[in-house]
Amino acid sequence: MSEVFDDSTLTEIAHLICGDEPPLRYRKGYEIAAFFQRAGWDDVPEYDNTPRHRWARELLKERQEDGTDDAQRAILRLANRLEYHNQQQEYHATLKRLNEILVLDGRRIGEDGGHPVLVRCEAGFEDEVRRLPRVELKVSVTEVVSDPQLAATVQLRLDEARTCYEHGAYTSAVIMLGSLLEGVLAHAAQVRVAAVPMPKPLRSMGLNDFLNFAYENKWIEYDAKLNSELIRQYRNLVHPLAEKQKGHSPNRDTLDMCWPVVNATLNDLAATATATATATATATATATASPVPSSYRAPADRSRGRNPTASAQRPSPAFVARRRPAGGTPTGT
């Protein structure tokens, strides 16, 4: 089934084909006819010296009314790098403007095997559709996940979730976020020394168990634990029957609420990983220091009847995390 575009979309596409505004690629009348041929059109008429934009627009409209997919072919040719030999600036300017036009009509240019394709997305202005929530991920994935192979997998899922978000695949995006969140929490449970024991074997734990376990060990804060419940609920929509029973599908607003929670959780895990390492290093240094002679006894605190050093405690991971300097390695997620 061929794509059907609004008349205003075809009018703007005709402007791009003509390329009257720099840095777009300018095409003369006969070059427009040649462009349509390169796009795969059959029986392209010769340019008849009418105003170029009017001629291109009328051809686009006629072909769409005839039920062909020639308008789509022309759009994809505009997005094809092969159309811009030694014209990189013109290519990027055209692609940017093309997406700004198409997104108002509920489409975007994507790629499949290096070739441009049309992708359905939520209709709106370009900056609104592509904008991600402003809660920033302040750390790199490698600061959260020490296993390089797992870190690469987590980063890939973050990237794929962003791609899904940008193209309106909101159910896929939230499922991807839920899976990576469970993965990093399971990794933390495996590699960190926990003050509170695990409630069940690792293989039997789910996302909710990992969230509670991380919170009880002060690896994440309460707001991250509480709000991650939203991601857990939507992640369960990987089962179509669950989505049918809820009668609701994730939308852009859903992702705008879920994404900051993932960022906050990863920020917490990175901060407490550093704090835990610092506390462990301190304890190790203390244990390897010169031993106190067995004959030595600390003087008693006469006012309290006990050793004055007995109340000294190691800094907790949460305490060290709060005192950690601000900043980190930004990832742009």
Side-chain angles (χ1 to χ4, degrees), residues 22-301:
L24 301 176
R25 176 181 172 179
Y26 178 84
R27 295 178 179 87
K28 298 178 181 179
Y30 71 89
E31 291 175 326
I32 295 174
F35 167 83
F36 286 137
Q37 290 174 340
R38 290 192 298 273
W41 286 26
D42 295 325
D43 302 322
V44 180
E46 291 185 4
Y47 176 58
D48 60 6
N49 293 319
T50 59
R52 293 175 306 114
H53 176 262
R54 185 197 306 171
W55 188 72
R57 182 190 61 198
E58 292 306 315
L59 279 180
L60 289 167
K61 291 176 65 176
E62 286 175 8
R63 296 294 174 119
Q64 178 164 281
E65 290 169 0
D66 289 343
T68 72
D69 60 357
D70 283 353
Q72 179 178 342
R73 291 173 184 268
I75 289 170
L76 294 178
R77 186 65 192 184
L78 277 172
N80 197 320
R81 293 178 179 86
L82 295 176
E83 190 67 19
Y84 305 91
H85 289 290
N86 298 321
Q87 294 178 314
Q88 187 174 3
Q89 182 181 12
E90 289 85 346
Y91 165 72
H92 288 297
T94 300
L95 189 61
K96 180 178 183 298
R97 179 63 184 139
L98 184 58
N99 272 324
E100 291 172 349
I101 295 167
L102 290 175
V103 76
L104 295 172
D105 211 356
R107 282 89 156 180
R108 291 184 56 80
I109 296 295
E111 282 199 0
D112 183 9
H115 300 288
V117 293
L118 275 177
V119 179
R120 288 280 180 174
C121 69
E122 182 178 347
F125 289 103
E126 172 74 356
D127 59 341
E128 294 178 345
V129 172
R130 298 195 67 181
R131 184 177 63 240
L132 283 172
R134 290 301 302 159
V135 176
E136 296 180 0
L137 181 60
K138 299 178 180 178
V139 297
S140 67
V141 170
T142 54
E143 292 179 72
V144 182
V145 180
S146 58
D147 180 344
Q149 187 174 0
L150 180 60
T153 300
V154 171
Q155 183 62 58
L156 179 61
R157 296 205 175 191
L158 272 176
D159 295 341
E160 289 186 0
R162 171 185 279 274
T163 300
C164 291
Y165 178 94
E166 292 179 352
H167 294 291
Y170 301 120
T171 300
S172 298
V174 77
I175 290 171
M176 196 69 66
L177 290 178
S179 70
L180 76 87
L181 190 60
E182 182 169 343
V184 297
L185 289 169
H187 175 71
Q190 283 182 306
V191 302
R192 297 191 185 193
V193 178
V196 179
M198 198 176 296
K200 60 180 75 171
L202 185 71
R203 64 179 178 276
S204 301
M205 292 180 63
L207 179 54
N208 190 53
D209 297 316
F210 285 123
L211 287 166
N212 289 328
F213 182 60
Y215 172 68
E216 289 169 358
N217 281 285
K218 300 184 179 357
W219 299 339
I220 62 174
E221 296 184 6
Y222 182 71
D223 57 351
K225 170 187 174 296
L226 181 65
N227 292 309
S228 291
E229 174 65 18
L230 178 67
I231 298 176
R232 189 180 73 84
Q233 291 290 339
Y234 276 107
R235 195 278 304 270
N236 290 338
L237 298 185
V238 66
H239 306 291
L241 184 59
E243 184 172 340
K244 176 184 175 183
Q245 291 172 342
K246 286 185 179 297
H248 174 68
S249 299
N251 54 32
R252 186 174 147 203
D253 289 339
T254 308
L255 266 293
D256 286 348
M257 290 186 287
C258 289
W259 206 294
V261 177
V262 174
N263 288 350
T265 304
L266 294 178
N267 289 340
D268 285 354
L269 287 171
T272 53
T274 301
T276 301
T278 301
T280 302
T282 301
T284 301
T286 301
T288 57
S290 299
V292 177
S294 58
S295 60
Y296 174 78
R297 295 183 63 186
D301 182 349

